[in-house]
Amino acid sequence: MSADYFADFAPVRFEGPDSDNDLAYRWYDKDRLVLGKRMEDHLRFAVCFWHSFCWPGSDVFGSGTFRRPWHAGPNDQTAARAKREAALAFVEKLDLPFYCFHDVDVMADAEDIAAFRRSFAEAVDANLFSHPRYMAGAATNPNPEVYAWAASQVRDALEATHRLGGANYVLWGGREGYDTIINTEIGIEQQNFGRFLSLVVDHKHRIGFEGTILIEPKPHEPTKHQYDFDTQSVYAFLKRFELENEVKVNIEANHATLSGHTFEHEIAMARALGIFGSIDANRGDHQNGWDTDQFPNSVEELTLAMLEIQRAGGFTTGGFNFDAKVRRQSIDAADLFHGHIGGVDTIARALLGAAAIIEDGRIDAFRAERYAGWQKGLGSQIHAPGTTLADIADIAVSSSLAPEPVSGRQEWLENLVNRV
Amino acid sequence: MSADYFADFAPVRFEGPDSDNDLAYRWYDKDRLVLGKRMEDHLRFAVCFWHSFCWPGSDVFGSGTFRRPWHAGPNDQTAARAKREAALAFVEKLDLPFYCFHDVDVMADAEDIAAFRRSFAEAVDANLFSHPRYMAGAATNPNPEVYAWAASQVRDALEATHRLGGANYVLWGGREGYDTIINTEIGIEQQNFGRFLSLVVDHKHRIGFEGTILIEPKPHEPTKHQYDFDTQSVYAFLKRFELENEVKVNIEANHATLSGHTFEHEIAMARALGIFGSIDANRGDHQNGWDTDQFPNSVEELTLAMLEIQRAGGFTTGGFNFDAKVRRQSIDAADLFHGHIGGVDTIARALLGAAAIIEDGRIDAFRAERYAGWQKGLGSQIHAPGTTLADIADIAVSSSLAPEPVSGRQEWLENLVNRV
Amino acid sequence: MSADYFADFAPVRFEGPDSDNDLAYRWYDKDRLVLGKRMEDHLRFAVCFWHSFCWPGSDVFGSGTFRRPWHAGPNDQTAARAKREAALAFVEKLDLPFYCFHDVDVMADAEDIAAFRRSFAEAVDANLFSHPRYMAGAATNPNPEVYAWAASQVRDALEATHRLGGANYVLWGGREGYDTIINTEIGIEQQNFGRFLSLVVDHKHRIGFEGTILIEPKPHEPTKHQYDFDTQSVYAFLKRFELENEVKVNIEANHATLSGHTFEHEIAMARALGIFGSIDANRGDHQNGWDTDQFPNSVEELTLAMLEIQRAGGFTTGGFNFDAKVRRQSIDAADLFHGHIGGVDTIARALLGAAAIIEDGRIDAFRAERYAGWQKGLGSQIHAPGTTLADIADIAVSSSLAPEPVSGRQEWLENLVNRV
Amino acid sequence: MSADYFADFAPVRFEGPDSDNDLAYRWYDKDRLVLGKRMEDHLRFAVCFWHSFCWPGSDVFGSGTFRRPWHAGPNDQTAARAKREAALAFVEKLDLPFYCFHDVDVMADAEDIAAFRRSFAEAVDANLFSHPRYMAGAATNPNPEVYAWAASQVRDALEATHRLGGANYVLWGGREGYDTIINTEIGIEQQNFGRFLSLVVDHKHRIGFEGTILIEPKPHEPTKHQYDFDTQSVYAFLKRFELENEVKVNIEANHATLSGHTFEHEIAMARALGIFGSIDANRGDHQNGWDTDQFPNSVEELTLAMLEIQRAGGFTTGGFNFDAKVRRQSIDAADLFHGHIGGVDTIARALLGAAAIIEDGRIDAFRAERYAGWQKGLGSQIHAPGTTLADIADIAVSSSLAPEPVSGRQEWLENLVNRV
């Protein structure tokens, strides 16, 4: 097994939009100041270990197409180490500041719980959906023993995250949902799930971990229905178990569109509810009804998302996490670079676009004017303590209100966005 | 204009499954006892005034096809009276106990707010979406004057409902959402919407109305995104404004499927969250992405929904409201009968099916067994006050838990459902 | 490895709707005459080898959950034999007349083409999508060598089908489509695909195989777009390459709904175009955007499909092929029985329903009357040779045609369907 | 009624990307040469009369919001004239070369066929879907009299198009489909539809019209299923009735996405089948399941579409037709300008992008290389007359073919597209 899978690739550097080099950044200039902050600090990119190094290019209808050396032999600690080394070399060549991984990604398979703990050692973040024991969920499993297994995995992963100085801990409820409602008690499962999350938050405080706990919404797949359907559903859940100040959302673009929302909607909603945390950067396919996890390539879509992120104050512990896979036919090592470079540059351009919109100011001014009525007169009165429905209705009747229609100017606003 | 549009039709009566009469009930036998309650009391059917008597058979691409006499002349108080009389005659012939209508449905058009109030007189339930003034929403309108108009309409409608002894008051947020997120402040709009609903609830108590306030979820259409997306979103909203004990949901089958859920899911979720209120009975078309509002005709789908309703304790103030339209080609008076009779019988059969499943008991027993672990041992311990994540994780490790996989038996359960 | 995996199960027999036995047929009475033909001859059920015996219960997010003995050891000829024996025992216990399988399902993995041919020996039907070599398609692969591999596999599978007395040969173009249009020449790929199919048809005649060649439409998954999108697309393709009299369609319920059509639509369309061949019996999930391949359990949906099959004259060489998987949580041997028994009974009831509709005759009479105008007068004249657009327009003008609107009676027709 | 509704607006001119003027073109410079042709000749923009001047801003849930003067009074010839004059003034100010309209759009309502013909006089293109007589279709109506009405309308519209020197004649089968398959004979309806189209083509030749007859695919809405589902379905239909050399497709972006395809796919497919005709420029909303008909605003999506148009040789008689509506809240005259200017500039930028890709040449070179194997050796042999399946299979076996996997390089190609 080669000592360095990526030996042939030079480090990727910013060379500007006119570069001829396919393996350079055209827009991501990490030290460039945008809205008073370095690009790197704005975007906080992370490479995903599983998507780029563990997944072999398989899908439901076919086996792996990638011929990574660490997939060739047995799935043991040696292969795991080769994989880890390749990943670290890759992250370094891309010059991106973060990476993320699941507990089970970085170790060989282990069947009994004691072996699992030893194997674990240096890894982070619990995978509670791949093993057959989680086929009916982890925290929502009908069997308390499976729930206890999950508790053990999360405890270890959380503590490892803490030890490694991790900034976030993400819970993706991969199988927290149901395949058929006929055999399912939603009430019991949600109570158990709420208990689980409360215990995790409590444990975080006990061990002194100061990072953010995140839940990642997804509407369905693999299960028919997942409880963390979208941002509003997660908020409902957090509010119900009094966790809305403890837990935030990690929003994934492809999950947003699968749930019937745009990516920017989910971010704006999280902002409105005070639970915006972090981002899984990828894209889906609008004609396909499953999670395709492609690298982001639409500046247009991301500009609106970036605008919402800026309005939410930008990231604190979160960032752009590349929860994205190169396509099954993209079998070369170079394709891993093209996927990440394209994603990084797309997001960097979106940041520049959002900054230009903010600096131009016309869209924000139009929005402010559109809602200005709520800062004065009737608007203030409506919100004043003591005002009743009858009071407001009486005003409407006695003043013979005839509200003047005002254009929403959608096409003009879209044109302004398109100019940046 | 005919004194009685439905003069040619005999009253519709229960005649049993072997009847040859197209205009008879085969399954809806209102006095039949099912699970100890009369069918009529279980189902509490309501005819919708707008869908069956106001809509002229138009759609986006074409004008009205129905030749109801009250649509022929000018839209004045005379036409309104003819329409009302026809509707009451129809409800009587169907022998159904309830009907429902919007304020604007039962009166002639009125442009100024004072005329609007006089015209109103005898009607119920506010339409806050059809008039151009509501093009940008009612309670979420950027203009406080429009909000005040809406307050006035709701006050009148709520008081009328109270005077007429109404059991429910439904708010469907037809345009409470946005067409483009670019001109929209979700945060402000939701604050205003929350204030509105709080004021409505307060007014209800002030006037002594004891019926239920209901919100009807819908994901989109006419707007791109509606705030009351689904049951979880409504719960999030209620919880945020501390209204979860005051307001319930009115679940519509077609809205459920448009939001990516099954009808039974939305009911089960509302039950789990304690906000199940009432039902809009219709169906969508699984291949079409808009609200088709067809009469229910799937016993299979409704049996599962009915099972959830029974588990939720059945209706208190709510019932099955026929928010359904005959097709645009169904132009005859007889078609109105076929639509309603088909819907009533479909739902009645679903009730018998659900009752059979409950009486058989095997599905409930399987479900109870599936979750039995939470009533004892490890399950109880997990929920015991004081138990921590570490406690549970330690048990998992020290006991070397190897949870026995158990079949979810989905196919067997589906077969049991299909047998009834 | 157990000699008989299904030793504990008694043969499944017809016991009627009142049976208490979960492992009996309630509706499928193979010798019962329906519309003058035995049920077994109407339905021609086939068990699918891959779905029930090869798939280990894995999905994109997790590994296999089923603990079949033949999955426990290495994937060699011994395991292949055990799997085959179990499958045959299963088919026999279900008393169903057919089974179907892919070439690669029944043999151990083989990397070089010569080994592949030896291994093959007794199997049928080519899998042209799982192996990495087919990642960019088989007959639409940019590489002619891959195309030649596919030709070799199909030749062997077709000849084996012929030797074994097979009735059909199905081509499912699993990866005949594209992941991105940017690297794809649709024109070249379709020309190559047309050539391939022409060669296959030619080979069929050369070897004297008299079964039917079938194409199975699917809109997407695994690829972004598959060329055999739906029945109309397949007809367009066949017509273009003058194969419309040689090849028919194998319609799968779940593929139909994914392509935006109902199952019954696809059958009716195939009938109208003269290319109806066979059926893959399964169902999708209307809320999920991928191929879930569940066992059929909706009598309502299948009754309409069965009606179209009867109108198309029933099956000749085709039949109901169970392209369906038990759920990943249905891990017991019994679940395989429940899935198949439920599917068989659902389809049998649908046949009885369709027969009842045909025997009742009212729906067919209504349809005949609806189109009666085309058998006489103006309708005949429109189709008469020599009639021009101007002739017809002149009649419209000179007769001052004022067509009488006639109700489409959709609700009444749906009620008639629901009564059976 | 004002003599000139748009009196306050200056003519819209090209001012370049740095202009501060909202009512100027930034990218559409009609005389600029791109790939050797003037932009105006490349794009051939047309303004749609109905969408911008007839539609009052109504939707299914509410009445018109636009306060155009010609909507204020009765719908008579005077209003029709005012509307026409406003439209012509608008087209002139935008400096776009074409416009398009329906017969019924430019005249007052007429109930009998003789009045209809007089009223018609100066208009073009038949609306066969709005009037109640077409509720069950026009050319697929069960009633031959309705069919004859449609024939009369199309005859007149076709002849008017001819008289006015029109370049195209579009048939959008607005209700050529079904609401329920239960009352529908697809076979009869398609035969009648085929006959209709044959008669129209015959009439075109009789009167010497040399423009192109176009069919516009749409999958559903208003009907449940429309026969002209997508480009492949239209090709199947044309091929069946031997019209594939007479009729082409008019592809609408929003219809493409509703049918499960991308816009560029439909164009590429039409090119591959030789039936590419013209374009309806608009966009849908990926989260909404109906035809939203918004103005195009995605340069990214249109660049790929434009690339396919260039590969198809560009337009001959067709062009970009703005089948798009400003939003219901965009009530000002200015909004009509913003909508069109945004659409024009988006498409102009897409043309520049596509030209840059073509001039760069790397994508085309990659595609050519990807399929190079078909120009030589094994590829040529496969297509050579006389080659059989067995020949090809024998080569595969005897040469022990082991095709070398080649990366599809999707991410790299997407990056190249994104750079322009």
Side-chain angles (χ1 to χ4, degrees), chain A residues 24-155:
Chain A
Y25 295 124
R26 277 161 179 71
W27 302 95
Y28 178 61
D29 181 7
K30 70 177 180 178
D31 295 316
R32 174 170 174 184
L33 288 182
V34 178
L35 299 172
K37 198 155 84 175
R38 293 172 61 252
M39 265 194 161
E40 188 179 70
D41 298 334
H42 266 294
L43 302 176
R44 299 170 57 87
F45 287 115
V47 171
C48 270
F49 191 72
W50 184 84
H51 294 74
S52 289
F53 298 94
C54 299
W55 179 59
S58 61
D59 65 17
V60 179
F61 299 91
S63 52
T65 54
F66 303 158
R67 293 157 306 166
R68 318 286 186 217
W70 52 85
H71 287 148
N75 184 15
D76 59 12
Q77 293 284 6
T78 312
R81 193 171 317 113
K83 197 160 59 172
R84 271 203 310 277
E85 285 166 6
L88 291 172
F90 182 72
V91 173
E92 211 166 286
K93 291 215 162 147
L94 283 178
D95 194 22
L96 298 179
F98 297 99
Y99 56 92
C100 66
F101 42 91
H102 294 307
D103 51 358
V104 298
D105 296 345
V106 293
M107 61 183 186
D109 288 342
E111 273 307 305
D112 82 287
I113 205 164
F116 194 105
R117 295 197 78 211
R118 277 194 308 277
S119 239
F120 183 72
E122 28 187 334
V124 168
D125 197 355
N127 172 328
L128 305 177
F129 49 90
S130 292
H131 193 280
R133 86 175 59 86
Y134 295 123
M135 69 180 185
T140 63
N141 198 293
N143 185 346
E145 295 190 359
V146 176
Y147 188 102
W149 244 98
S152 169
Q153 264 186 262
V154 170
R155 193 240 321 241

Side-chain angles (χ1 to χ4, degrees), chain A residues 109-403:
Chain A
D109 288 342
E111 273 307 305
D112 82 287
I113 205 164
F116 194 105
R117 295 197 78 211
R118 277 194 308 277
S119 239
F120 183 72
E122 28 187 334
V124 168
D125 197 355
N127 172 328
L128 305 177
F129 49 90
S130 292
H131 193 280
R133 86 175 59 86
Y134 295 123
M135 69 180 185
T140 63
N141 198 293
N143 185 346
E145 295 190 359
V146 176
Y147 188 102
W149 244 98
S152 169
Q153 264 186 262
V154 170
R155 193 240 321 241
D156 289 354
L158 194 56
E159 293 180 358
T161 305
H162 185 37
R163 266 198 317 279
L164 295 172
N168 288 300
Y169 186 81
V170 180
L171 288 156
W172 173 56
R175 298 200 196 265
E176 312 298 7
Y178 58 79
D179 287 344
T180 175
I181 205 170
I182 306 178
N183 70 13
T184 305
E185 282 285 0
I186 291 178
I188 294 174
E189 297 204 352
Q190 290 223 327
Q191 288 289 350
N192 291 344
F193 197 5
R195 174 71 176 159
F196 192 85
L197 193 56
S198 302
L199 291 170
V200 170
V201 166
D202 171 73
H203 192 71
K204 165 194 147 161
H205 292 303
R206 285 175 187 266
I207 64 174
F209 175 55
E210 300 195 346
T212 308
I213 306 276
L214 296 161
I215 282 191
E216 179 172 324
K218 188 176 184 187
H220 23 237
E221 200 205 12
T223 71
K224 170 181 173 47
H225 176 89
Q226 315 233 157
Y227 293 129
D228 301 328
F229 196 83
D230 60 6
T231 293
Q232 289 255 72
S233 300
V234 171
Y235 181 80
F237 177 75
L238 295 178
K239 199 71 186 154
R240 186 172 174 207
F241 293 100
E242 300 178 358
L243 293 165
E244 74 273 19
N245 299 318
E246 293 281 359
V247 178
K248 300 198 181 306
V249 283
N250 183 50
I251 296 174
E252 175 170 331
N254 199 157
H255 295 177
T257 51
L258 285 172
S259 68
H261 306 298
T262 58
F263 187 26
E264 59 267 23
H265 169 85
E266 283 289 270
I267 300 169
M269 186 56 79
R271 172 170 78 104
L273 298 171
I275 57 170
F276 173 67
S278 195
I279 293 290
D280 265 16
N282 64 16
R283 70 176 174 98
D285 183 306
H286 290 300
Q287 276 76 44
N288 292 166
W290 63 94
D291 202 11
T292 64
D293 279 350
Q294 295 173 258
F295 278 90
N297 73 344
S298 171
V299 177
E300 292 169 356
E301 287 175 18
L302 281 162
T303 299
L304 293 176
M306 192 64 77
L307 198 56
E308 297 299 338
I309 292 171
Q310 294 305 316
R311 286 175 178 153
F315 294 116
T316 49
T317 61
F320 277 99
N321 187 20
F322 281 114
D323 197 314
K325 299 180 293 194
V326 293
R327 298 301 82 197
R328 192 171 175 265
Q329 295 190 47
S330 298
I331 59 177
D332 295 343
D335 295 315
L336 280 174
F337 282 93
H338 294 307
H340 282 83
I341 291 171
V344 165
D345 268 347
T346 296
I347 292 167
R349 280 173 83 174
L351 173 63
L352 296 173
I357 289 170
I358 290 166
E359 286 163 349
D360 173 85
R362 277 184 292 178
I363 290 178
D364 283 335
F366 178 82
R367 288 157 60 105
E369 174 60 28
R370 194 162 184 249
Y371 294 94
W374 296 97
Q375 310 297 325
K376 59 186 183 200
L378 180 58
S380 303
Q381 202 170 338
I382 286 169
H383 280 283
T387 303
T388 66
L389 189 75
D391 296 338
I392 302 169
D394 286 342
I395 294 171
V397 174
S398 64
S399 335
S400 290
L401 289 182

Side-chain angles (χ1 to χ4, degrees), chain D residues 324-347:
Chain D
K325 299 179 294 192
V326 293
R327 298 300 83 197
R328 192 171 174 264
Q329 294 191 47
S330 298
I331 58 177
D332 296 344
D335 295 313
L336 279 175
F337 281 93
H338 295 307
H340 282 84
I341 291 169
V344 165
D345 268 347
T346 297
I347 292 168

